[in-house]
Amino acid sequence: MTASAREEIDSAIKSNDIMLFMKGTPQFPQCGFSSAVVQILDYLGADYGSMNVLEDQEIRQGIKDYSDWPTIPQLYVKGEFVGGCDIIREMFEQGELRPFLAEKGLITAEA
Ligand SMILES: N[C@@H](CCC(=O)N[C@@H](CS)C(=O)NCC(=O)O)C(=O)O
């Protein structure tokens, strides 16, 4: 990973309590997996930062190296890698995602 990619990723993760590395933007996701995570975060009323990895191949590869995770999307919460689409969807469906984010003061505990 290039030093500039690492710096950009570090900075995005540090400055956003919830940070989503995705394909496309929340308004215009360009992959169904990214879209699914956006829909879940929006449903929960989460405030999150996002980065479109399709705009920068160094970030697209860099985030995989950074997290040691082979795919996009990738969700970070308070500096910790939480997972990709399958993990986020599973946490949501099991009713675990709202309390996970609420305990960190990032969303309300109730809808
Ligand atoms: N099972 C994955 C699905 C995501 C996925 O397979 N992403 C692929 C296709 S969008 C990917 O990022 N491939 C590498 C790449 O496009 O750089 C998850 O839980 O997030």
Side-chain angles (χ1 to χ4, degrees), residues 70-81:
T71 52
I72 315 295
Q74 296 193 16
L75 189 73
Y76 276 80
V77 175
K78 295 238 176 196
E80 300 289 334
F81 175 61

Side-chain angles (χ1 to χ4, degrees), residues 47-85:
D47 195 12
Y48 56 97
S50 67
M51 195 178 283
N52 180 2
V53 305
L54 296 179
E55 284 184 344
D56 187 334
Q57 291 305 312
E58 282 187 8
I59 298 290
R60 181 176 183 168
Q61 185 53 45
I63 190 62
K64 295 176 199 166
D65 297 340
Y66 189 95
S67 313
D68 196 19
W69 187 262
T71 52
I72 315 295
Q74 296 193 16
L75 189 73
Y76 276 80
V77 175
K78 295 238 176 196
E80 300 289 334
F81 175 61
V82 180
C85 177

Side-chain angles (χ1 to χ4, degrees), residues 2 8 14-15 25 30-31 33 39 56 72 75-76 81 83 90 95 97 100 106:
T2 63
E8 205 175 326
K14 280 183 190 140
S15 51
T25 64
Q30 287 179 257
C31 163
F33 300 115
Q39 282 180 47
D56 187 334
I72 315 295
L75 189 73
Y76 276 80
F81 175 61
E90 173 86 7
L97 191 59
F100 175 77
L106 299 173

